[in-house]
Amino acid sequence: MKYYSLQKIAPEVSFKEAVIKGIAPDRGLYFPESISPLPDSFFENIEDLSNQEIAFNAIHQFVSKDIPNENLKEILADVLDFEFPLVQIEENVATLELFHGPTMAFKDVGARFMANCLGYFSRDKDDEVTVLVATSGDTGGAVANGFLGVKGVNVVILYPSGKVSDIQERQLTTLGENITALEVAGTFDDCQKMVKTAFLDEELLENMQLTSANSINVARWLPQLFYFLFAYKQAKSKGKDIVFSVPSGNFGNICAGIVAQKLGMPVKHFVAATNVNDTVPEFMKTGKYNPKPSSATISNAMDVGDPSNFIRIRHLFQDNLDRLREHLSSYSFTDSETKEALLKIYTETGYIADPHGAVGYLGLKKYQESFPDTYGIFMETAHPVKFLDVVEETIAQALEIPKQIQKVMDKEKESIQIDSFKGLKNFLLHA
Ligand SMILES: *Cc1c(COP(=O)(O)O)cnc(C)c1O
């Protein structure tokens, strides 16, 4: 499979090159040159397949010859060694729990898949790769965990100081080894901008091989399409049209869902639910894309003012707004609406959602006002315990701390503070 840059200037590259480069030299995001639908029989018999078999069938064409089948199967077995249960909480409303991995947010799958691919590509080379990643909360922990101890790979994580939850911060600042955390005086968008600037800095590029572990990297972005297939496998027997509501920030997860649809998976509609960072809901209304500085919210992993993957979604619909609207709706919700939803879900169903899942729930319910006879699935993208204070306060109930989280609670944070691109560059060149 070849990948082209959405800026259409840089040359096409293989999967391997796309993963190692992260972003094309013309600053465009890489995009697969084709998406071939899977045979009907795959969807007809999906209940009989294991998660690993489903994933292999779905990702194989995007990786093709760069990783031999046997190695790809080993990678998938390692990446997918936990559950992805669909939990029905109301008639026609279910949640797909994506938080059963090591850092308890959905980013574990993409981070582990990318770490395994890079590990495979650098298996018999001495050159080191530096992975640069900006995090709004959960990416940092997932990438730190996925890449810990991977030979030949150094990981540098940028996170906005004071804008991630305590547990999120501990997950990305306490591992050591090949992982370094840079604490940035600024917002997530500042972090993301610094990372993008680093990829264009000639002095850096001469001195090191840099790549990105944000969802702009195809190895982080594409494996997220597995979730939608796992959900379909569990929801198919309901016999209803399926709607997915995805709490969205950088729009990588929902974009991967749309790729699953292009692979032939039957889906009635997608809902992209956001917090007050509403660049995409506004675009869907007005047709104008106006990126804004991000505002801090209780669903902090979605505090993104200029979502990087939205351009891939537009591209999937040939940049045609009417066609996009047929498949996607997008709504934004405030923190107080989110808390109300958390409490409502808990009181009425006993289910404890996290703030991101609650935003997804709200988006789904809004869509179902017009389309009640659909089977709605909202993604629970993180375990509620990662947002301990706000969840416990909202539902007035103490949460049990799972052992993955307990492990980081008593470790000491280690970070290096920076406040500009100069600080980042200085660290990269002299650390
Ligand atoms: C990253 C994240 C999101 C947003 O996902 P995108 O792919 O960036 O849209 C939503 N919820 C949680 C908990 C996250 O960590």
Side-chain angles (χ1 to χ4, degrees), residues 160-191:
S161 181
K163 297 192 175 65
V164 303
S165 81
D166 177 55
I167 288 171
Q168 287 172 331
E169 184 171 40
R170 285 177 200 269
Q171 286 182 325
L172 64 98
T173 55
T174 58
L175 289 180
E177 293 187 43
N178 57 333
I179 316 290
T180 308
L182 301 182
E183 186 171 351
V184 176
T187 63
F188 167 69
D189 291 297
D190 296 326
C191 298

Short mmCIF file of all heavy atoms in Angstrom, two decimals, residues 160-191:
data_model
loop_
_atom_site.label_atom_id
_atom_site.label_comp_id
_atom_site.label_asym_id
_atom_site.label_seq_id
_atom_site.Cartn_x
_atom_site.Cartn_y
_atom_site.Cartn_z
N PRO A 160 0.44 19.98 28.30
CA PRO A 160 0.17 21.33 28.80
C PRO A 160 0.10 21.32 30.33
O PRO A 160 -0.71 20.61 30.92
CB PRO A 160 -1.19 21.68 28.18
CG PRO A 160 -1.85 20.37 27.90
CD PRO A 160 -0.76 19.36 27.69
N SER A 161 0.96 22.11 30.94
CA SER A 161 1.06 22.14 32.39
C SER A 161 -0.27 22.51 33.04
O SER A 161 -0.92 23.47 32.64
CB SER A 161 2.12 23.18 32.78
OG SER A 161 2.26 23.21 34.17
N GLY A 162 -0.69 21.74 34.04
CA GLY A 162 -1.91 22.04 34.79
C GLY A 162 -3.19 21.74 34.04
O GLY A 162 -4.28 21.99 34.54
N LYS A 163 -3.11 21.18 32.83
CA LYS A 163 -4.33 20.97 32.05
C LYS A 163 -4.63 19.49 31.81
O LYS A 163 -5.47 19.15 30.99
CB LYS A 163 -4.25 21.72 30.71
CG LYS A 163 -4.17 23.23 30.94
CD LYS A 163 -4.38 24.01 29.65
CE LYS A 163 -4.41 25.51 29.90
NZ LYS A 163 -3.13 26.07 30.39
N VAL A 164 -3.91 18.62 32.50
CA VAL A 164 -4.24 17.19 32.41
C VAL A 164 -4.57 16.71 33.82
O VAL A 164 -4.19 17.37 34.80
CB VAL A 164 -3.08 16.34 31.81
CG1 VAL A 164 -2.69 16.86 30.43
CG2 VAL A 164 -1.87 16.32 32.73
N SER A 165 -5.31 15.61 33.95
CA SER A 165 -5.70 15.17 35.29
C SER A 165 -4.48 14.60 36.01
O SER A 165 -3.47 14.24 35.39
CB SER A 165 -6.83 14.15 35.22
OG SER A 165 -6.34 12.85 34.92
N ASP A 166 -4.59 14.53 37.33
CA ASP A 166 -3.46 14.06 38.15
C ASP A 166 -3.01 12.65 37.70
O ASP A 166 -1.82 12.39 37.54
CB ASP A 166 -3.91 14.04 39.62
CG ASP A 166 -2.84 13.49 40.52
OD1 ASP A 166 -1.71 14.02 40.48
OD2 ASP A 166 -3.10 12.51 41.25
N ILE A 167 -3.97 11.77 37.48
CA ILE A 167 -3.61 10.40 37.08
C ILE A 167 -2.98 10.39 35.69
O ILE A 167 -1.98 9.71 35.45
CB ILE A 167 -4.84 9.48 37.17
CG1 ILE A 167 -5.17 9.24 38.65
CG2 ILE A 167 -4.61 8.16 36.45
CD1 ILE A 167 -6.48 8.54 38.91
N GLN A 168 -3.54 11.17 34.79
CA GLN A 168 -2.95 11.27 33.44
C GLN A 168 -1.50 11.74 33.55
O GLN A 168 -0.60 11.21 32.89
CB GLN A 168 -3.74 12.25 32.57
CG GLN A 168 -5.10 11.73 32.13
CD GLN A 168 -5.92 12.80 31.44
OE1 GLN A 168 -5.78 13.99 31.71
NE2 GLN A 168 -6.79 12.39 30.53
N GLU A 169 -1.26 12.74 34.38
CA GLU A 169 0.10 13.29 34.51
C GLU A 169 1.05 12.22 35.06
O GLU A 169 2.15 12.03 34.56
CB GLU A 169 0.10 14.52 35.40
CG GLU A 169 1.49 15.17 35.48
CD GLU A 169 1.48 16.52 36.19
OE1 GLU A 169 0.77 16.66 37.20
OE2 GLU A 169 2.20 17.44 35.72
N ARG A 170 0.61 11.51 36.07
CA ARG A 170 1.47 10.47 36.63
C ARG A 170 1.79 9.38 35.60
O ARG A 170 2.89 8.85 35.55
CB ARG A 170 0.82 9.84 37.86
CG ARG A 170 0.89 10.72 39.06
CD ARG A 170 0.16 10.10 40.23
NE ARG A 170 -0.17 11.12 41.20
CZ ARG A 170 0.62 11.46 42.21
NH1 ARG A 170 1.76 10.85 42.39
NH2 ARG A 170 0.26 12.41 43.04
N GLN A 171 0.79 9.04 34.77
CA GLN A 171 1.02 7.98 33.79
C GLN A 171 2.11 8.34 32.79
O GLN A 171 2.74 7.46 32.23
CB GLN A 171 -0.28 7.66 33.04
CG GLN A 171 -1.26 6.88 33.90
CD GLN A 171 -2.52 6.54 33.14
OE1 GLN A 171 -2.99 7.31 32.32
NE2 GLN A 171 -3.08 5.37 33.41
N LEU A 172 2.31 9.64 32.56
CA LEU A 172 3.29 9.98 31.53
C LEU A 172 4.59 10.53 32.09
O LEU A 172 5.54 10.73 31.36
CB LEU A 172 2.67 10.94 30.50
CG LEU A 172 2.23 12.33 30.92
CD1 LEU A 172 3.28 13.36 30.57
CD2 LEU A 172 0.93 12.69 30.20
N THR A 173 4.63 10.77 33.41
CA THR A 173 5.85 11.38 33.98
C THR A 173 6.61 10.44 34.92
O THR A 173 7.61 10.83 35.50
CB THR A 173 5.51 12.65 34.79
OG1 THR A 173 4.54 12.28 35.79
CG2 THR A 173 4.98 13.76 33.92
N THR A 174 6.13 9.21 35.08
CA THR A 174 6.74 8.38 36.13
C THR A 174 7.46 7.14 35.61
O THR A 174 7.95 6.34 36.39
CB THR A 174 5.67 7.92 37.15
OG1 THR A 174 4.65 7.20 36.45
CG2 THR A 174 5.04 9.10 37.87
N LEU A 175 7.52 6.96 34.29
CA LEU A 175 8.06 5.69 33.81
C LEU A 175 9.59 5.69 33.67
O LEU A 175 10.24 4.67 33.89
CB LEU A 175 7.42 5.30 32.47
CG LEU A 175 5.96 4.86 32.57
CD1 LEU A 175 5.42 4.51 31.20
CD2 LEU A 175 5.80 3.67 33.50
N GLY A 176 10.18 6.83 33.27
CA GLY A 176 11.64 6.87 33.11
C GLY A 176 12.10 6.11 31.88
O GLY A 176 11.41 6.10 30.86
N GLU A 177 13.27 5.48 31.98
CA GLU A 177 13.90 4.77 30.85
C GLU A 177 13.94 5.63 29.59
O GLU A 177 14.46 6.74 29.61
CB GLU A 177 13.21 3.43 30.58
CG GLU A 177 13.42 2.43 31.73
CD GLU A 177 12.89 1.06 31.39
OE1 GLU A 177 13.11 0.58 30.27
OE2 GLU A 177 12.26 0.44 32.28
N ASN A 178 13.35 5.14 28.49
CA ASN A 178 13.42 5.87 27.21
C ASN A 178 12.31 6.91 27.05
O ASN A 178 12.05 7.40 25.96
CB ASN A 178 13.39 4.88 26.03
CG ASN A 178 12.16 3.99 26.04
OD1 ASN A 178 11.59 3.72 27.10
ND2 ASN A 178 11.72 3.53 24.88
N ILE A 179 11.64 7.26 28.14
CA ILE A 179 10.50 8.18 28.08
C ILE A 179 10.83 9.47 28.83
O ILE A 179 11.20 9.42 30.00
CB ILE A 179 9.25 7.56 28.76
CG1 ILE A 179 9.04 6.10 28.37
CG2 ILE A 179 8.02 8.43 28.53
CD1 ILE A 179 8.60 5.84 26.96
N THR A 180 10.71 10.64 28.17
CA THR A 180 10.89 11.92 28.86
C THR A 180 9.64 12.77 28.70
O THR A 180 9.07 12.84 27.61
CB THR A 180 12.06 12.71 28.23
OG1 THR A 180 13.21 11.86 28.18
CG2 THR A 180 12.38 13.95 29.04
N ALA A 181 9.22 13.41 29.78
CA ALA A 181 8.04 14.28 29.72
C ALA A 181 8.47 15.74 29.78
O ALA A 181 9.23 16.13 30.65
CB ALA A 181 7.11 13.96 30.89
N LEU A 182 7.98 16.53 28.82
CA LEU A 182 8.23 17.97 28.83
C LEU A 182 6.93 18.67 29.19
O LEU A 182 5.89 18.48 28.54
CB LEU A 182 8.71 18.45 27.45
CG LEU A 182 9.99 17.81 26.91
CD1 LEU A 182 10.35 18.43 25.55
CD2 LEU A 182 11.15 17.96 27.87
N GLU A 183 7.00 19.47 30.25
CA GLU A 183 5.81 20.16 30.76
C GLU A 183 5.80 21.56 30.16
O GLU A 183 6.69 22.36 30.42
CB GLU A 183 5.92 20.19 32.29
CG GLU A 183 4.71 20.74 32.96
CD GLU A 183 4.78 20.55 34.49
OE1 GLU A 183 5.69 19.85 34.99
OE2 GLU A 183 3.92 21.14 35.16
N VAL A 184 4.78 21.83 29.35
CA VAL A 184 4.77 23.06 28.56
C VAL A 184 3.86 24.11 29.21
O VAL A 184 2.70 23.82 29.54
CB VAL A 184 4.26 22.77 27.13
CG1 VAL A 184 4.15 24.06 26.31
CG2 VAL A 184 5.18 21.77 26.43
N ALA A 185 4.39 25.31 29.39
CA ALA A 185 3.56 26.43 29.85
C ALA A 185 2.71 26.86 28.65
O ALA A 185 3.17 27.62 27.80
CB ALA A 185 4.43 27.57 30.34
N GLY A 186 1.49 26.34 28.52
CA GLY A 186 0.64 26.65 27.36
C GLY A 186 -0.48 25.63 27.25
O GLY A 186 -0.73 24.86 28.18
N THR A 187 -1.16 25.63 26.10
CA THR A 187 -2.29 24.72 25.88
C THR A 187 -1.85 23.51 25.05
O THR A 187 -0.72 23.46 24.57
CB THR A 187 -3.39 25.43 25.07
OG1 THR A 187 -2.85 25.77 23.78
CG2 THR A 187 -3.89 26.69 25.76
N PHE A 188 -2.78 22.57 24.87
CA PHE A 188 -2.48 21.43 24.00
C PHE A 188 -2.13 21.89 22.59
O PHE A 188 -1.22 21.37 21.96
CB PHE A 188 -3.68 20.47 23.95
CG PHE A 188 -3.55 19.46 22.84
CD1 PHE A 188 -2.59 18.46 22.91
CD2 PHE A 188 -4.36 19.52 21.71
CE1 PHE A 188 -2.43 17.54 21.87
CE2 PHE A 188 -4.22 18.61 20.68
CZ PHE A 188 -3.26 17.61 20.76
N ASP A 189 -2.87 22.90 22.09
CA ASP A 189 -2.59 23.37 20.74
C ASP A 189 -1.16 23.92 20.63
O ASP A 189 -0.52 23.75 19.60
CB ASP A 189 -3.62 24.41 20.29
CG ASP A 189 -4.99 23.79 20.09
OD1 ASP A 189 -5.12 22.92 19.21
OD2 ASP A 189 -5.92 24.13 20.83
N ASP A 190 -0.68 24.56 21.70
CA ASP A 190 0.72 25.03 21.70
C ASP A 190 1.67 23.84 21.59
O ASP A 190 2.65 23.87 20.85
CB ASP A 190 1.03 25.81 22.99
CG ASP A 190 0.22 27.10 23.09
OD1 ASP A 190 -0.06 27.70 22.03
OD2 ASP A 190 -0.15 27.49 24.21
N CYS A 191 1.35 22.78 22.33
CA CYS A 191 2.20 21.58 22.29
C CYS A 191 2.20 21.01 20.88
O CYS A 191 3.24 20.64 20.32
CB CYS A 191 1.68 20.50 23.25
SG CYS A 191 1.70 20.98 24.98
#
